[in-house]
Amino acid sequence: MAFPIHRPRRLRRTAALRDLVRETDLTPRQLVAPLFVKEGIDDPAPIASMPGQAQHTLESLRKEAREIFERGVRAFVLFGVPLRKDAEGSEAWNDQGIVQRGIGALREELGDDAVVIADLCLDEYTDHGHCGVLDELGNVDNDATLERYRWIAGSHARAGADLVAPSGMMDGQVAAIRSALDGDGRSDVGILAYAAKFASAFYGPFRDAAECTPRFGDRAGYQLDPGNGDEALREIRADLDQGADIVMVKPALPYLDVIRRARQEGGAPVAAYNVSGEYAMVKAAAEQGWIEEHQAVLEVLTAIRRAGADLILTYHAGDAAGWLS
Ligand code: PBG
């Protein structure tokens, strides 16, 4: 009798068969759309390095969020670009600041049908562009920065954020923010922790969008070294111990192994941030006609899900949701 050869192609013959056995699904509800809101502009300003994305006015922010929402995306992460920057980044905790007004606008536009996430960091607000305040030697002062993060968390909560998302990679930031929120009687506000955030070249376009390129030095003194997977896991465990509600790995594509390990850790839902440089690569190649955008985007997002991400922050959210529905 002939040895029965395996025939996997039987299940690949039609789209219906392939759909039946696909292991990983991708739906708009798993996507989170990052949006930028800028103070003091009358019209949205397109971001050259991120085709299709813009710095929004409060009005265009609402409109853009509404359009993305109508396609099935339920969550937004908001970044503010203030007019006034100083050494401390004090606009970050101004209750009338641009991100606070943006949070309010999204809440007003979409109510509790949308999840509003506020990125919590100082780099968009400091005149030197670092994610924290500096000591006399010009180094980022961890614990002085935590104090500011606590003020920002309170301000985001008052503005109406469901979740705050600390992205500065300061040691102890989740614990500090958790205790500040609880102390303000806001134990209802959750923390999406940028737990494993690598010092990456793929943030380049974001720094144009958020106007936060460091004036000197780089972020390697606080973000993870790209070679370190075990250390990333220690960061994730530390954030879970400190009370993170969701842990995030960032960027996504170069760190799929870390996403998988975060998932296996099992302490909380895992988010992955498909960052600005990953977006720009796909857009640039597609504009050249070198890759097919629709297919490439869905493949990228499916791969990030397959690696283990429950949710994906991605600038493709609006387009992808349109293609999926
Ligand atoms: C820091 C922050 C950055 C990004 C999100 N939050 C930039 C950085 O660390 O330099 C990058 C996101 C992206 O590239 O899409 N507040």
Side-chain angles (χ1 to χ4, degrees):
M1 208 174 73
F3 190 75
I5 67 164
H6 194 50
R7 295 271 184 199
R9 287 186 54 192
R10 277 184 199 126
L11 296 181
R12 297 178 194 152
R13 192 170 53 82
T14 66
L17 282 161
R18 292 191 295 273
D19 280 351
L20 185 70
V21 297
R22 183 169 304 116
E23 297 169 33
T24 306
D25 65 353
L26 178 68
T27 70
R29 72 170 184 87
Q30 295 151 341
L31 305 178
V32 180
L35 294 172
F36 300 96
V37 61
K38 181 168 170 161
E39 192 170 29
I41 54 172
D42 295 325
D43 296 298
I47 302 159
S49 53
M50 300 175 71
Q53 305 296 314
Q55 295 174 318
H56 286 287
T57 64
L58 287 164
E59 197 185 301
S60 73
L61 175 75
R62 282 177 184 242
K63 193 163 161 279
E64 178 77 358
R66 166 65 65 184
E67 275 172 29
I68 295 172
F69 180 85
E70 298 297 345
R71 297 180 199 162
V73 174
R74 292 288 174 258
F76 301 89
V77 58
L78 194 59
F79 297 90
V81 188
L83 263 184
R84 202 177 56 79
K85 302 190 186 218
D86 57 27
E88 297 243 318
S90 60
E91 274 300 296
W93 58 87
N94 175 357
D95 280 354
Q96 308 308 319
I98 187 61
V99 84
Q100 287 79 0
R101 281 184 284 152
I103 294 165
L106 291 181
R107 185 59 73 212
E108 212 176 275
E109 182 69 30
L110 299 167
D112 279 343
D113 294 336
V115 176
V116 179
I117 306 168
D119 184 83
L120 194 167
C121 199
L122 280 173
D123 59 330
E124 299 98 342
Y125 300 90
T126 52
D127 51 16
H128 45 75
H130 279 288
C131 296
V133 290
L134 306 178
D135 63 19
E136 316 78 67
L137 298 174
N139 297 312
V140 173
D141 183 332
N142 194 86
D143 295 8
T145 299
L146 293 185
E147 199 50 35
R148 274 78 186 172
Y149 285 4
R150 293 166 57 93
W151 301 338
I152 304 172
S155 183
H156 288 172
R158 284 188 292 280
D162 295 292
L163 303 171
V164 296
S167 61
M169 290 297 282
M170 294 302 120
D171 294 338
Q173 62 184 11
V174 173
I177 290 167
R178 185 69 272 156
S179 80
L181 288 168
D182 292 350
D184 279 355
R186 297 309 305 267
S187 56
D188 58 322
V189 174
I191 300 176
L192 187 169
Y194 286 70
K197 177 173 176 180
F198 289 86
S200 173
F202 292 99
Y203 306 148
F206 174 94
R207 293 178 188 171
D208 294 340
E211 301 175 13
C212 62
T213 306
R215 290 278 164 77
F216 60 89
D218 56 33
R219 305 205 205 290
Y222 36 102
Q223 299 178 347
L224 281 162
D225 187 293
N228 293 356
D230 292 342
E231 187 189 358
L233 260 284
R234 291 197 289 276
E235 287 276 12
I236 287 165
R237 288 189 199 111
D239 281 6
L240 289 169
D241 287 345
Q242 291 172 37
D245 298 285
I246 301 176
V247 288
M248 185 150 70
V249 176
K250 172 186 176 188
L253 283 184
Y255 302 97
L256 294 177
D257 58 321
V258 179
I259 295 173
R260 164 52 49 130
R261 291 174 70 182
R263 177 55 176 267
Q264 282 164 344
E265 193 63 27
V270 174
Y273 200 144
N274 176 227
V275 302
S276 58
E278 298 175 71
Y279 174 83
M281 285 197 298
V282 170
K283 295 298 272 192
E287 277 178 11
Q288 296 287 330
W290 293 341
I291 61 173
E292 205 283 303
E293 181 175 354
H294 168 157
Q295 226 185 311
V297 167
L298 296 184
E299 181 177 337
V300 162
L301 299 178
T302 299
I304 296 168
R305 288 268 305 139
R306 190 199 63 236
D310 296 291
L311 29 146
I312 306 173
L313 282 69
T314 178
Y315 305 95
H316 299 293
D319 288 339
W323 294 325
L324 290 169
S325 41

